[in-house]
Amino acid sequence: MSTLVTVGGHRVADASELDSVMDSYFGSPDEQEYINRFFGCQSWTGQAAPRYRISYTCRSLLESREARRCNSGDMTPPPLCAGTCNTYVREWSALTLNHSMCINNILSEDRR
């Protein structure tokens, strides 16, 4: 893994460090702040989260320019199944539309 990969402000050099950083990120105040800011919410607390959140986030990180450079050749990770991605997006959409979970007044259509 490239030392250029940063997750939540932490540089990671190997899979073990990535696992550790990701474990501490999910459910953290940093994640809550990011999600609330990204979706224009004020009250998402992380209690309800879509299935496949970790899989989708980790796979997205593997698509970064730095990870692609590191994983060139035989180390290309397989993509997530379309059904997994669709479920992930559908569940985020449902959460952001549920005003008891995510009170939002500025959520734009392109973020759903």
Side-chain angles (χ1 to χ4, degrees):
M1 181 174 286
S2 169
T3 56
L4 299 175
V5 175
T6 1
V7 179
H10 302 285
R11 288 187 183 267
V12 293
D14 59 34
S16 178
E17 285 181 20
L18 177 64
D19 288 345
S20 177
V21 168
M22 296 307 288
D23 284 343
S24 65
Y25 177 74
F26 289 110
S28 72
D30 287 342
E31 183 199 25
Q32 291 173 23
E33 180 183 333
Y34 172 78
I35 295 298
N36 280 313
R37 186 177 54 241
F38 183 82
F39 287 114
C41 300
Q42 299 170 350
S43 63
W44 185 76
T45 63
Q47 292 172 339
R51 286 179 287 170
Y52 310 120
R53 176 174 60 149
I54 295 170
S55 299
Y56 192 90
T57 301
C58 290
R59 187 64 183 97
S60 296
L61 288 171
L62 291 173
E63 287 296 321
S64 72
R65 183 178 27 176
E66 294 86 359
R68 283 183 185 209
R69 267 193 304 222
C70 181
N71 291 328
S72 62
D74 296 337
M75 292 280 304
T76 304
L80 293 176
C81 296
T84 299
C85 294
N86 290 336
T87 298
Y88 174 79
V89 170
R90 189 174 46 253
E91 290 186 11
W92 266 126
S93 182
L95 285 170
T96 60
L97 292 173
N98 180 339
H99 292 294
S100 67
M101 292 272 193
C102 183
I103 300 167
N104 59 55
N105 296 323
I106 60 170
L107 181 64
S108 61
E109 288 295 322
D110 64 329
R111 295 255 173 128
R112 287 188 195 164

